[in-house]
Amino acid sequence: HQRNLGGVVKRDWAKKHQTEVFGCVVVAVDFEEAIAGKTDRTAVEVGIMATFDATKCRVRGSGTRLVLALFTKTASTDTPPLYMNWEDAAGSLRSRCGLDAKGLIVVHATDSRMCLVRLHRAALDHSLRYHRDETSRLKRTKSDAGKYPAPQSFFCAARSRLKIAFHFEVLRDHRQAKHAYGRCREALARLPRSLEADVLSSIVFIRLTRAVLTAPVPDVKAAEAASEF
């Protein structure tokens, strides 16, 4: 169906945002490999920052967030070469790469399970931030629909509402997703009759019904879903 939706959304837009555009990317660095042969901590940090910046350049413009993961064979109680302790190493690298507290995770081989849980949580947190940022950005741009004459304004409104609903679905905000899909249907109903509008209306209807059925309030799910038919 995505091939027929060029007027409202680009071809394979949904597939792209599910398989190619990521809310968060983890940049994994082997700490022992990074410090091998180096006697100056600045050289270590510059090398790690270069690896981090190379990934940042690849995702620039997409809004994707990055987390730097340092993998080491040592324990958290050990003293890393060139640093006073692991807090010193992590803090220095965060400052060098411009990261917050959740932007860098040290994964120790001796406590890998707990460290990987922290890494997973950090990546999830950044992914959720990405989708919140995207909904905020799209809400700002949806007002642009009024700048165009009909039917272009309806195409613009349907496009922005559809994208907002998608991101709210990822965030599992069923109420906001339902609202956005409903407004998208209203905009689609005002478009000239076409295969694209019909197919997209069917897709939106399915997503809207699913948003209602998966809402956290079970007593009203069936009634609300039935009212959409």
Side-chain angles (χ1 to χ4, degrees):
H1 292 312
Q2 290 292 325
R3 294 188 180 90
N4 298 320
L5 304 180
V8 177
V9 291
K10 294 180 180 178
R11 175 178 175 175
D12 292 330
W13 180 87
K15 178 182 177 182
K16 173 184 175 183
H17 282 265
Q18 290 175 327
T19 61
E20 298 176 22
V21 177
F22 305 101
C24 178
V25 171
V26 175
V27 182
V29 173
D30 185 319
F31 186 74
E32 278 72 34
E33 184 177 317
I35 65 173
K38 296 182 177 66
T39 58
D40 178 59
R41 60 190 288 174
T42 299
V44 174
E45 293 169 9
V46 169
I48 293 174
M49 185 176 67
T51 301
F52 184 79
D53 285 346
T55 305
K56 184 188 292 186
C57 289
R58 294 185 62 181
V59 300
R60 181 168 292 152
S62 66
T64 299
R65 291 173 169 268
L66 299 178
V67 172
L68 177 60
L70 290 182
F71 287 82
T72 176
K73 299 175 183 177
T74 64
S76 58
T77 54
D78 293 338
T79 301
L82 308 178
Y83 294 92
M84 293 184 294
N85 49 47
W86 278 108
E87 287 76 14
D88 178 35
S92 186
L93 281 166
R94 286 191 189 99
S95 178
R96 180 79 64 175
C97 298
L99 299 170
D100 60 17
K102 293 184 178 180
L104 187 150
I105 304 295
V106 180
V107 181
H108 299 277
T110 56
D111 192 18
S112 60
R113 183 174 181 179
M114 184 61 68
C115 291
L116 289 173
V117 168
R118 290 180 56 232
L119 178 59
H120 177 266
R121 288 175 178 172
L124 178 59
D125 181 69
H126 280 282
S127 294
L128 294 177
R129 288 188 194 180
Y130 162 79
H131 288 288
R132 292 191 189 102
D133 290 345
E134 285 297 291
T135 55
S136 298
R137 181 184 64 81
L138 289 164
K139 285 181 177 179
R140 290 193 298 269
T141 60
K142 72 181 180 182
S143 59
D144 293 342
K147 299 178 182 179
Y148 302 100
Q152 287 87 347
S153 60
F154 305 141
F155 275 101
C156 185
R159 181 183 305 116
S160 62
R161 294 291 184 179
L162 177 65
K163 292 181 178 182
I164 289 171
F166 170 83
H167 289 293
F168 274 128
E169 265 202 281
V170 175
L171 291 168
R172 297 187 179 182
D173 190 329
H174 305 284
R175 183 180 63 84
Q176 293 282 15
K178 175 191 170 185
H179 175 74
Y181 277 130
R183 296 299 297 273
C184 181
R185 284 185 69 190
E186 293 174 5
L188 289 169
R190 305 179 72 177
L191 291 176
R193 187 66 183 273
S194 66
L195 175 61
E196 174 191 13
D198 289 345
V199 171
L200 190 52
S201 292
S202 298
I203 293 173
V204 169
F205 168 74
I206 294 171
R207 307 293 286 197
L208 175 59
T209 304
R210 189 173 75 171
V212 174
L213 288 173
T214 54
V217 184
D219 294 340
V220 298
K221 286 194 289 188
E224 289 192 17
S227 70
E228 297 297 338
F229 282 90

